[in-house]
């Protein structure tokens, strides 16, 4: 493993058993993440995109061990953290949640929300030092000292998300999972938060796994992009390469849906509309999971699972027809 690699995932699987039927006797398995592998180098941002239900959030939370992996391996700086020693790395790995309304305790002041991580990890020696650290963290995300005495309900959505980011930064992590961190915010606020995340990445040497369903936003921040469909990564490449040369039919469809502000270009752009809904992860299609919605599927797609392979330098794809 290269010294520059911060996170490596090998064949990670996250299955959930659910009981169904009138008497809940029938066990069924949801394959939320079904054999995913990737590498994130230090200082990089891996964008993770796909429709709702593709397994993006589950993957992010499994990497952080918020869900215990069903199987596979997770490495942090070359050290395997899949089993019991993952607790030693909690301080180095943090998450920014999607909903800034639900992820903050309404009964705690902002100062206590940000300072809670400092308390847990004992990162100060005096109350004055704790107070200074909290104020510095708030300033880092564009808030001020006076905000530390307020409660979450007194803030706008964008400000609450800034509090969530300050909380994640409190323990000086190296790796942050941004789980749909801007999707609940207004478009103008989204741009501010994205710019702030990029700036902090450069100054604090952070590495991100940036989960989103909006490819336009992912393009702004990501070094590499992985496209997920029904628990699998179907395409992975450098950010610009994915946009200029998408290989998988699913990726092409997602990119065709990105709005274009220039009217003439928008008219000439052909939208690829997928038929049907994303299948149930309880009973996915045989062979290629995307075949039931794919406009170019052939017989082999129903019979064989496509291999996730390198098509060109650093550009991976799982499709029989590429």
């Amino acid at each position: 493993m290269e010294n520059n690699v911060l996170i490596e995932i090998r064949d990670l699987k996250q299955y959930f058993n659910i009981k169904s039927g009138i008497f809940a006797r029938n066990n069924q398995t949801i394959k939320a993440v079904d054999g995913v592998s990737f590498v994130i180098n230090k200082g990089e941002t891996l964008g993770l995109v796909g429709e709702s239900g593709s397994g993006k959030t589950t993957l992010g939370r499994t990497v952080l061990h918020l869900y215990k992996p069903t199987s596979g391996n997770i490495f942090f700086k070359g050290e395997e953290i899949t089993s019991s020693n993952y607790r030693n790395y909690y301080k180095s790995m943090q998450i920014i949640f999607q909903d800034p309304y639900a992820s903050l305790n309404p009964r705690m002041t902002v100062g206590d929300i940000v300072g809670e991580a400092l308390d847990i990890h004992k990162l100060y020696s005096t109350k004055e030092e704790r107070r200074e650290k909290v104020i510095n963290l708030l300033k880092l995300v564009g808030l001020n000292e006076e905000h530390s005495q307020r409660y979450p309900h007194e803030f706008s959505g964008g400000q609450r998300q800034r509090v969530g980011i300050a909380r994640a930064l409190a323990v000086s992590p190296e790796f942050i999972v941004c789980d749909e961190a801007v999707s609940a915010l207004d478009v103008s606020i989204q741009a501010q938060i994205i710019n702030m995340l990029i700036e902090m990445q450069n100054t604090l040497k952070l590495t991100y796994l940036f989960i989103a369903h909006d490819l336009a936003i992912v393009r702004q921040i990501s070094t590499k992009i992985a496209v997920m469909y029904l628990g699998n990564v179907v395409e992975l490449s450098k950010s610009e390469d994915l946009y200029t040369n998408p290989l998988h039919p699913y990726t092409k469809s997602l990119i065709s849906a990105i709005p274009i502000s220039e009217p003439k270009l928008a008219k000439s752009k052909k939208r690829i509309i997928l038929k049907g809904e994303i299948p149930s992860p309880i009973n996915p299609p045989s062979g290629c999971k995307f075949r039931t919605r794919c406009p170019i599927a052939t017989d082999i797609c129903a019979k064989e699972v496509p291999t996730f392979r390198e098509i060109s330098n650093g550009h991976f794809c799982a499709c029989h027809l590429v």
Side-chain angles (χ1 to χ4, degrees):
M1 195 182 296
E2 297 175 31
N3 292 332
N4 198 37
V5 173
L6 186 72
I7 296 280
E8 181 175 357
I9 308 300
R10 293 183 193 164
D11 197 27
L12 191 65
K13 295 180 181 179
Q14 183 61 65
Y15 296 172
F16 299 105
N17 289 323
I18 59 167
K19 292 183 177 180
S20 62
I22 298 173
F23 300 106
R25 288 176 179 169
N26 300 324
N27 279 341
Q28 293 182 302
T29 302
I30 294 179
K31 297 181 177 181
V33 178
D34 194 17
V36 169
S37 302
F38 59 74
V39 166
I40 311 178
N41 294 322
K42 293 173 187 173
E44 275 188 342
T45 299
L46 175 65
L48 192 60
V49 297
E51 292 169 285
S52 296
S54 60
K56 309 184 299 296
T57 291
T58 303
L59 175 58
R61 295 186 179 197
T62 305
V63 170
L64 296 182
H65 232 284
L66 297 178
Y67 300 140
K68 186 180 179 182
T70 303
S71 67
N73 307 95
I74 305 168
F75 295 88
F76 183 79
K77 289 183 169 178
E79 187 84 22
E80 185 165 10
I81 60 167
T82 321
S83 54
S84 57
N85 67 334
Y86 63 88
R87 294 181 187 277
N88 302 332
Y89 295 89
Y90 272 168
K91 200 159 78 72
S92 301
M93 306 164 77
Q94 291 291 307
I95 185 168
I96 301 166
F97 293 100
Q98 174 180 358
D99 188 351
Y101 298 87
S103 61
L104 303 178
N105 189 332
R107 295 184 181 88
M108 293 171 70
T109 64
V110 162
D112 285 336
I113 288 169
V114 175
E116 187 177 25
L118 302 175
D119 300 336
I120 291 167
H121 294 281
K122 298 177 174 60
L123 298 177
Y124 60 89
S125 49
T126 64
K127 284 189 175 181
E128 184 56 35
E129 186 187 352
R130 178 187 187 275
R131 183 177 161 278
E132 279 182 22
K133 285 192 171 186
V134 168
I135 290 166
N136 288 336
L137 285 162
L138 291 176
K139 286 179 178 176
L140 186 64
V141 297
L143 300 173
N144 58 48
E145 183 177 347
E146 184 247 328
H147 288 132
S148 67
Q149 300 304 314
R150 295 189 190 175
Y151 290 87
H153 73 267
E154 298 178 67
F155 291 90
S156 67
Q159 287 174 319
R160 288 183 208 190
Q161 196 58 291
R162 288 172 189 267
V163 173
I165 294 168
R167 177 178 60 183
L169 293 173
V171 292
S172 304
E174 295 176 68
F175 175 65
I176 298 179
V177 173
C178 304
D179 181 15
E180 300 268 13
V182 297
S183 64
L185 307 175
D186 292 341
V187 175
S188 58
I189 308 298
Q190 284 181 355
Q192 291 175 21
I193 298 295
I194 292 290
N195 290 335
M196 187 178 72
L197 288 170
I198 293 170
E199 192 177 320
M200 290 191 311
Q201 183 173 38
N202 295 331
T203 55
L204 303 175
K205 306 291 185 249
L206 297 170
T207 303
Y208 296 139
L209 174 63
F210 191 86
I211 299 168
H213 56 265
D214 188 334
L215 269 92
I217 288 173
V218 172
R219 186 176 192 173
Q220 294 175 43
I221 193 170
S222 300
T223 318
K224 296 186 295 191
I225 295 175
V227 181
M228 268 192 95
Y229 186 81
L230 216 57
N232 297 107
V233 172
V234 296
E235 188 162 359
L236 169 66
S237 81
K238 291 177 182 175
S239 179
E240 281 310 307
D241 193 22
L242 189 92
Y243 284 88
T244 54
N245 184 33
L247 299 177
H248 198 279
Y250 181 57
T251 310
K252 290 178 180 179
S253 169
L254 292 178
I255 289 174
S256 78
I258 298 173
I260 296 176
S261 54
E262 180 63 46
K264 285 183 180 177
L265 285 174
K267 275 187 177 180
S268 62
K269 184 180 179 182
K270 188 182 177 185
R271 173 83 195 274
I272 302 169
I273 298 175
L274 298 177
K275 56 190 178 186
E277 295 291 323
I278 189 167
S280 168
I282 296 172
N283 186 26
S286 62
C288 174
K289 292 178 182 176
F290 182 63
R291 69 174 176 81
T292 55
R293 303 173 72 197
C294 181
I296 59 168
T298 62
D299 291 344
I300 192 172
C301 302
K303 295 172 185 172
E304 294 179 23
V305 177
T307 306
F308 188 67
R309 66 194 195 283
E310 191 169 15
I311 307 298
S312 58
N313 186 25
H315 199 146
F316 296 81
C317 184
C319 180
H320 293 299
L321 307 175
V322 170

